[in-house]
Amino acid sequence: MGLRSALAALAALAALTPVWASPASGAASTVGAIHPDPAILRGVLANGVRYAVMHNANPSGGTSIRLGVAVGSLDEADDERGAAHFVEHLTFDGPSVGPDASLEGTFAAAGVAFGRDRNAATDYRSTVYRIDLPRADPPALDLAFKWLRQVADGGRFTDAAVNQERGVILAEREARMTATQSAAEAINRFQTPGLRFVDRAPIGTVASIGAMTAARLNGFYQRWYRPENAVVVVVGDERAATLEAKVRSTFGSWTHQGLAPAHLSAGLVDDKRGLDVVVRVEPTLPTALSVCAVRPRAEHEADDVARLRRRTLVALWATVLQTRLSRLAQDSAGAILEAQLRLDTASPGRSSVCVIVVPTRDAWRTALPLVEAELRRFGTAGPSEDDLEGAIRALRADYRGAVPKAATQASPDLAGAIVDDQLAGDVTATPGEAFAAFDTAVADLTPAGLKSAFNGYWSGAGPLIALLTPRPTEAAEVTALWKKGAEVPLAAARAPGPSAAWAYASFGRSGRIARRESFATPAFTRVAYANGVTLNFMHTDFVKDQVKVAVAFGVGRREIPDRDRFGAELGAGLFKLGGLGRHDYAQIETLFGEQAWGAELKIDDFAFLLKGSTTASGLAGQLELLAAYLNDPGFRDLDPLLATALEAFYRNYRTHLDLVANVAFYAGVAPNGPANLPPRETLARLRTADFERLLKPALTRAPLEVTIVGDVDEKTAVQQVANTFGALPPRRSRPREQAETWFLRFGDQAIAPMRVTHEGPAEKALIEAVWPLYVATPRRRREEIALGLLAKVFSDSLRHRLRDGLGKTYGPDASTRMPDLADQGFLQAVVETAPIDVDAVLAEIRRAAADLAAGAFTDADLEIARGPELARLAAAARTNDWWIAALERSARDGVALKDLLAMRDLTASITPAEVRKAAADWLSHPPIVVIVTPKIDPAVRKSQP
């Protein structure tokens, strides 16, 4: 977890989802229907099963199938808490429908892995089973439909199966527990105590999971898993009529007796409730305020232009208000680090709008009155005509951008969207239809209508204020501060200055092309400009109108002093926020607000990489932006952000078991290495000037290699690079490496197991077992791939032993890390479990490794691991991300390109003997072990109020 990720959790504090919807806002309704996508063949079988099928050739030969059942945790009786989710598990693990070795192997041969989530998910109102076949030949398709039909009506649960799965579900519950989640649940209970969802998490409770019986689950299953509750969606590279016939033949004979039960009410929101405050003391979370208004929401509304208009009104005023909040953070004299608007329409029975504020240095008393005034000002004055037009343009750009991408949507994405729409009763429209409906919806909008829509939304229950703080605080103090602020006359809003013109539209005379080369395998072009800039260009049509850009420069980690490694990584993560010499970051967001763009900086082992993602029409602007960041980076003052982010990180990191294990691991194997977490006082001294010192030399002086991959023509790309990077002054090549860069080396000394504690949920523990390997080189690539396959076999073995067999964990995992000519590689197994089970689980990990080292796995076990990996590689090779990774440093070092071209064939050619040799060579040694257990004993925690 980086330092910024300590702040990313804030959006979850009020369980808010940024999707747009609204109750009726008083705005004029526009009559009109949104027409469904004509390519989707819909129908209802005689028994009530609804279906939607569609031909789609991405991926070629593949098929995605979804079975949705309209039942979730809100439909559980009090003695059935967690039953919907438990049933989801047992439709796989029960004796009549579970994935035995032959089923798992057959699916693996079709490229499908039955992984951690078991190909299904349970929500408040629905349960969805999914399977994506990369190669949907008749046997694989038959098996997939047979499996889903067994899920639909073939489940027969036994007490033995329930008892075995109980531990897995408890482990899953523990895996999801975090301080952030706990705070979010508490805030939900505070905001809407009358709604069922606040106490109906699909996972259930410890007590309800412990009390679950086969009889209770069978009753729930028989009551809800019935044809009229089901939706089948199939999207694949086959005629829609053929797919429809398959649905009919598979599900047409499904019958059920008796009347379907009624869905239970989501509950009621008290929309007359006024100002209320809750304070939650959270020493491990960043200080944060959420100020919310909550209203009742009907769960089912006609999906028409009238509803789209209501949603659009909300999206527009939210866009304008977010701009105001961002400006407030900038103008707060350093009091507010971040202010974000969040709208929630995913929670059953409610709609809410919240402003979530992160104050700097815990200064919530300064931040709260500023937020109160901004909300009151917006409700009084509303947006301007320019605000409205700008928001419409931005939203229209999103609709317009979706239209060309429709032709290359992947079948898994389409199937998921269609089944969600079917379960919700929504229309699945083409992006073109949605665009046209949007234009109808915004035809006569006015600033007054937008203000009215906001006030209608904000007039629900509230304001409901939640304060997360590390120190005890009285709710009455928060209440008094809000009321006091509301009595202060509003100052006039600071009028935004004139929009700044983009200052980097020209970098001088366009660069001259010095050399052009064409390559056949793969098909791409390399252009050298007279100033030394190199361009690698590949046209693809994997995703219509998507273009990826990467710029490689310098030697990355090798030119950063070891003592500054952590500071450089932090500076790279915050780099784009520092803006440019002639624009701050807020201006950049405004200037590029209507197009896709990026400026993400990464420090690799051999290079720095600056990346962005855009469209064909946005490529010129994206290249200008990246060239500006590489020619005139701003490194504007981020010191207030740094202090707060570092404090948040140090409060929070010890609640993350994987981070605690990682810190302990590096401290144990390399006590003096730069990979160790620096002391708090060292990080506290970091300043923006340090980032500039470490990163600016490479950014502004190192030679540049530009790579463009995507749906744009070569002539356009070559000319636009000539206008930007090709126009920059020449950069001289010179040695940039430090005299010596530290890389991880394990040495030969034995390392005793390391036992450390965490400060997260007392029910959680983690084991990390690490087997050192070697320093990877291209000439040992076969061995490296054999080790990667071995790790997948190891993962499957741990899943069968620890999850399926013992019920001691939810998602055990084994993987390898082997960068070329850098850190020494290793294979690691990571298992999260209960503290009481640590020793037993560690013993089983050791036994699993010893069995693999002795060659105790079958050729079929290897193929179960290999099949999905081959399918993953084939799918990855049809993405722009794959090819930009292959090409982004190919002019200076073609190893990555050669590797990716050969990867699939090489993976397919690895023999069982090679994997067994890798296991014998490397797993026969004892691992380095880190055990992370809770600082507070679970029994002590349970005794506390």
Side-chain angles (χ1 to χ4, degrees), residues 474-515:
E474 293 296 329
E477 182 185 359
V478 182
T479 302
L481 189 60
W482 180 270
K483 289 181 176 179
K484 181 179 179 181
E487 296 170 356
V488 176
L490 281 174
R494 181 179 69 84
S499 297
W502 176 235
Y504 300 93
S506 175
F507 294 87
R509 180 176 297 180
S510 292
R512 179 176 60 83
I513 296 175
R515 186 175 66 258

Side-chain angles (χ1 to χ4, degrees), residues 72-93:
S73 60
L74 289 195
D75 298 308
E76 299 162 350
D78 288 342
D79 63 351
E80 294 176 326
R81 299 274 295 274
H85 177 254
F86 217 127
V87 164
E88 173 219 306
H89 273 240
L90 286 177
T91 50
F92 293 89
D93 293 341

Side-chain angles (χ1 to χ4, degrees), residues 8 222 278 465 510 539 566 640 653 661 795:
Q222 293 300 324
V278 66
I465 304 173
S510 292
H539 173 264
F566 196 94
Y653 101 88
S795 280

Side-chain angles (χ1 to χ4, degrees), residues 485-847:
E487 296 170 356
V488 176
L490 281 174
R494 181 179 69 84
S499 297
W502 176 235
Y504 300 93
S506 175
F507 294 87
R509 180 176 297 180
S510 292
R512 179 176 60 83
I513 296 175
R515 186 175 66 258
R516 181 184 181 279
E517 300 176 85
S518 294
F519 299 84
T521 307
F524 77 99
T525 301
R526 180 170 294 144
V527 174
Y529 294 88
N531 66 346
V533 169
T534 300
L535 167 66
N536 305 305
F537 171 79
M538 175 184 280
H539 173 264
T540 71
D541 56 6
F542 303 130
V543 180
K544 287 293 184 185
D545 204 34
Q546 183 189 77
V547 184
K548 300 275 187 176
V549 183
V551 186
F553 57 96
V555 294
R557 178 174 161 188
R558 284 170 161 79
E559 64 183 274
I560 300 296
D562 289 341
R563 66 181 180 277
D564 291 320
R565 177 176 168 184
F566 196 94
E569 291 284 359
L570 176 58
L574 300 176
F575 169 67
K576 70 178 180 181
L577 303 181
L580 299 167
R582 286 178 274 178
H583 293 298
D584 62 27
Y585 183 68
Q587 290 172 324
I588 294 170
E589 285 191 302
T590 300
L591 288 163
F592 288 85
E594 295 177 29
Q595 70 178 63
W597 64 278
E600 312 303 324
L601 182 62
K602 178 185 176 184
I603 303 176
D604 208 344
D605 287 329
F606 289 90
F608 295 94
L609 293 165
L610 185 62
K611 296 190 173 187
S613 180
T614 187
T615 62
S617 61
L619 179 59
Q622 175 70 86
L623 292 173
E624 289 173 4
L625 179 66
L626 295 181
Y629 266 116
L630 284 157
N631 190 54
D632 189 25
F635 291 104
R636 292 167 182 265
D637 184 15
L638 299 175
D639 292 349
L641 181 152
L642 276 177
T644 299
L646 287 166
E647 177 63 25
F649 172 80
Y650 270 102
R651 287 181 194 172
N652 191 245
Y653 101 88
R654 290 199 58 81
T655 69
H656 291 259
L657 280 66
D658 55 342
L659 277 179
V660 173
N662 192 56
V663 169
F665 170 76
Y666 279 101
V669 300
N672 300 314
N676 288 291
L677 180 66
R680 189 170 187 162
E681 56 273 15
T682 299
L683 290 184
R685 291 194 292 269
L686 280 174
R687 297 291 182 269
T688 308
D690 294 307
F691 303 156
E692 183 172 12
R693 170 177 58 85
L694 295 168
L695 301 176
K696 189 173 182 178
L699 285 160
T700 57
R701 299 174 198 162
L704 305 173
E705 181 176 354
V706 182
T707 301
I708 298 175
V709 173
D711 189 21
V712 65
D713 66 273
E714 179 182 329
K715 181 179 179 181
T716 297
V718 171
Q719 185 58 53
Q720 290 179 354
V721 172
N723 295 341
T724 52
F725 292 98
L728 295 175
R731 297 185 175 198
R732 184 169 57 89
S733 295
R734 64 173 183 79
R736 308 190 63 83
E737 295 87 349
Q738 294 288 306
E740 184 175 350
T741 299
W742 180 92
F743 290 102
L744 174 65
R745 299 293 183 264
F746 287 96
D748 297 325
Q749 74 279 12
I751 298 176
M754 292 169 268
R755 292 183 178 266
V756 293
T757 61
H758 70 85
E759 296 174 10
E763 296 83 356
K764 299 173 71 167
L766 180 140
I767 301 164
E768 183 176 276
V770 178
W771 285 264
L773 301 175
Y774 55 89
V775 178
T777 65
R779 67 182 180 81
R780 298 182 71 173
R781 197 68 81 218
R782 286 192 69 89
E783 183 179 9
E784 181 181 330
I785 294 175
L787 282 162
L789 289 171
L790 172 63
K792 295 182 185 304
V793 174
F794 198 179
S795 280
D796 289 344
S797 175
L798 293 175
R799 176 164 57 85
H800 288 305
R801 288 168 178 258
L802 294 172
R803 173 178 165 141
D804 301 338
L806 300 177
K808 300 292 187 184
T809 187
Y810 175 51
D813 181 65
S815 60
T816 56
R817 172 174 164 75
M818 301 193 71
D820 274 0
L821 302 169
D823 290 330
Q824 184 174 341
F826 56 83
L827 187 156
Q828 68 173 3
V830 179
V831 180
E832 199 170 276
T833 189
I836 196 173
D837 294 323
V838 160
D839 292 335
V841 168
L842 177 57
E844 196 63 36
I845 293 172
R846 293 182 187 275
R847 280 192 288 270

